[in-house]
């Protein structure tokens, strides 16, 4: 194997460009599992020279970089938390030379899709978790990324309950900026929800591009149902083709989740009685009834625009960034 990898110039870990990283992950995803058995040492391409110290072509897991469960300040998980993404566990990682703290997502080869890396490698925005590098070791892909050490919005909701309106506005604004950027590149994230929004001291970023697609036409005809049921739009559930507006609907349901601590529908249709919500989402009007009474008129109007049933009439990320709810007049003005 070593020779085979050496022939393809993939042996060891090296710094490279986005193009090098993409060819590495494509080579990897095309390799037979057999060829990836007892690989003698880590292989990979790192983009982040500044924070990741490769030594003599090595970047050894638990030597040059340590992996830990996350320790959250506001929640004592006891042995630490290892949250699950759509296709992998996410650890805190720390480079032993530079001390840089990162997120490291471990994805098994059968769950690995080169497309997930492609989106995070090719698209750069402050509200999208930056990809620092990809490495193959011990039968898993290790994706090193920008770390949201404040945890995800879901952990915050589970620990601290419903969020206050100014916090919700702050998160919604960051998510809208990330979506405006993705949608301007015709990329649909497909899984906007509280667990895929992670918090840092000064911003919130979108994570988990495992379900993302880039549209080649104005309509994306799905082969499968992508996303998380509670946050799916009616047009996505119908499976007759959808576009980037589906992410806007999911932001709407995510805001209801942040306001109440629960996703829409579940309080009126308990999970015990409803194994699936697809029919409800298809048949019922958008879940405006799940908006709490004490919701401000501005946020309510924002949600009516984001949850509009007809995707053509539904507001875009750019339009919602101009909405008064996201730009509240400062009290002292
Ligand atoms: N599915 C997925 N794909 N990429 C990521 C990801 C990139 N950077 C990150 N930073 C933090 C967290 C995170 C999630 N829950 C947490 C709870 C406590 C602490 C941190 C977290 C996740 C990520 O997640």
């Amino acid at each position: 194997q070593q020779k085979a990898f050496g022939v393809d110039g993939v042996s060891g870990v090296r710094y490279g460009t986005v193009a090098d990283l993409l060819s590495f992950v494509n080579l990897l995803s095309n390799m037979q599992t057999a060829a990836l058995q007892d690989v003698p040492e880590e292989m990979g391409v790192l983009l982040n020279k500044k924070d990741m110290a490769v030594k003599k072509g090595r970047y050894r897991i638990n030597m040059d970089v340590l992996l830990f469960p996350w320790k959250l300040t506001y929640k004592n998980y006891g042995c630490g938390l290892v949250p699950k993404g759509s296709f992998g566990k996410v650890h805190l990682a720390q480079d032993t030379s530079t001390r840089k703290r990162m997120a490291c997502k471990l994805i098994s080869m059968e769950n690995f899709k080169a497309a997930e890396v492609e989106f995070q490698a090719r698209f750069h925005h402050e509200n999208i978790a930056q990809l620092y590098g990809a490495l193959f070791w011990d039968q898993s892909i290790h994706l090193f990324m920008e770390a949201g050490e404040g945890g995800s919005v879901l952990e915050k909701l589970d620990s601290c309950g419903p969020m206050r309106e100014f916090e919700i506005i702050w998160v919604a604004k960051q998510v809208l900026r990330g979506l405006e950027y993705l949608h301007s590149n015709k990329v649909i994230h497909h899984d906007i929800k509280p667990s895929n929004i992670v918090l840092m001291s000064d911003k919130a970023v979108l994570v988990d591009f495992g379900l993302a697609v880039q549209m080649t036409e104005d309509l994306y005809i799905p082969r499968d149902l992508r996303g998380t049921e509670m946050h799916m739009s009616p047009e996505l559930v119908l499976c007759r083709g959808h576009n980037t507006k589906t992410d806007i609907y999911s932001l709407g349901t995510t805001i209801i989740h942040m306001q109440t601590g629960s996703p829409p529908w579940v309080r009126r249709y308990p999970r015990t009685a409803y194994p699936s919500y697809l029919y409800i989402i298809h048949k019922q009007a958008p879940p405006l009834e799940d908006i709490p009474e004490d919701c401000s008129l501005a946020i309510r109007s924002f949600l009516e625009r984001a949850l509009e049933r007809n995707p053509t009439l539904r507001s875009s990320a750019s339009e919602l960034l101009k909405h008064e709810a996201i730009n509240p007049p400062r009290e002292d003005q």
Side-chain angles (χ1 to χ4, degrees), residues 78-288:
C79 58
L81 170 83
V82 180
K84 285 193 182 352
S86 57
F87 293 114
K89 291 185 191 167
V90 184
H91 295 261
L92 172 64
Q94 182 160 34
D95 185 291
T96 47
S97 308
T98 68
R99 320 293 296 154
K100 172 74 176 176
R101 292 158 70 87
M102 305 173 275
C104 179
K105 178 151 98 172
L106 273 67
I107 308 173
S108 62
M109 281 312 286
E110 61 262 23
N111 285 333
F112 178 63
K113 286 182 294 183
E116 170 165 6
V117 179
E118 204 154 326
F119 288 110
Q120 276 187 277
R122 280 175 48 209
F123 297 110
H124 290 149
H125 187 272
E126 66 160 2
N127 297 112
I128 288 169
Q130 196 176 338
L131 181 69
Y132 294 149
L135 190 146
F136 177 80
W137 172 247
D138 189 22
Q139 302 310 311
S140 294
I141 299 281
H142 294 63
L143 288 188
F144 290 94
M145 295 170 279
E146 184 178 7
E149 298 209 46
S152 75
V153 168
L154 184 66
E155 268 94 30
K156 180 175 167 56
L157 288 168
D158 289 350
S159 311
C160 315
M163 291 161 62
R164 286 160 296 179
E165 193 142 293
F166 78 94
E167 296 175 296
I168 293 171
I169 291 169
W170 184 80
V171 169
K173 198 165 196 171
Q174 319 268 332
V175 170
L176 279 169
R177 287 180 183 144
L179 288 181
E180 182 181 51
Y181 171 74
L182 287 175
H183 295 174
S184 66
N185 289 284
K186 294 188 151 249
V187 173
I188 310 174
H189 181 280
H190 270 132
D191 208 9
I192 298 298
K193 58 179 177 179
S195 61
N196 281 340
I197 302 167
V198 297
L199 302 168
M200 293 157 190
S201 50
D202 58 347
K203 63 177 182 172
V205 301
L206 296 177
V207 298
D208 207 338
F209 286 76
L211 298 176
V213 296
Q214 184 160 30
M215 298 191 337
T216 48
E217 317 289 333
D218 285 345
L219 204 60
Y220 173 72
I221 314 288
R223 283 194 311 279
D224 53 12
L225 210 52
R226 286 171 179 247
T228 305
E229 274 201 10
M230 319 312 295
H231 298 282
M232 284 180 182
S233 65
E235 72 271 15
L236 183 130
V237 166
L238 204 57
C239 270
R240 295 251 181 81
H242 60 269
N243 59 20
T244 53
K245 292 286 186 70
T246 191
D247 285 340
I248 300 299
Y249 183 94
S250 303
L251 172 60
T253 56
T254 296
I255 289 174
I256 289 176
H257 198 152
M258 291 192 279
Q259 288 179 315
T260 64
S262 304
W265 310 111
V266 293
R267 294 199 173 166
R268 290 183 283 143
Y269 302 90
R271 291 181 202 263
T272 44
Y274 292 85
S276 168
Y277 288 85
L278 299 181
Y279 187 71
I280 294 171
I281 294 168
H282 168 62
K283 286 301 279 181
Q284 302 278 349
L288 301 180

Side-chain angles (χ1 to χ4, degrees), residues 17-141:
T17 63
V18 169
D20 297 327
L21 184 102
L22 295 183
S23 56
F24 168 68
V25 294
N26 280 300
L27 182 87
L28 217 50
S29 44
N30 296 333
M31 293 201 74
Q32 302 304 323
T33 321
L36 291 168
Q37 295 313 320
D38 56 6
V39 163
E41 61 179 50
E42 303 83 4
M43 300 174 298
V45 174
L46 305 183
L47 304 172
N48 186 340
K49 271 188 182 168
K50 176 171 155 297
D51 300 315
M52 301 176 85
V54 174
K55 296 174 187 149
K56 300 194 203 70
R58 301 296 301 271
Y59 196 67
R60 293 158 298 180
I61 302 293
N62 289 328
M63 288 283 286
D64 302 318
V65 61
L66 305 179
L67 301 189
F68 306 97
W70 299 89
K71 283 258 180 282
L72 279 181
T73 43
Y74 53 74
K75 181 159 188 177
N76 175 10
Y77 286 88
C79 58
L81 170 83
V82 180
K84 285 193 182 352
S86 57
F87 293 114
K89 291 185 191 167
V90 184
H91 295 261
L92 172 64
Q94 182 160 34
D95 185 291
T96 47
S97 308
T98 68
R99 320 293 296 154
K100 172 74 176 176
R101 292 158 70 87
M102 305 173 275
C104 179
K105 178 151 98 172
L106 273 67
I107 308 173
S108 62
M109 281 312 286
E110 61 262 23
N111 285 333
F112 178 63
K113 286 182 294 183
E116 170 165 6
V117 179
E118 204 154 326
F119 288 110
Q120 276 187 277
R122 280 175 48 209
F123 297 110
H124 290 149
H125 187 272
E126 66 160 2
N127 297 112
I128 288 169
Q130 196 176 338
L131 181 69
Y132 294 149
L135 190 146
F136 177 80
W137 172 247
D138 189 22
Q139 302 310 311
S140 294
I141 299 281

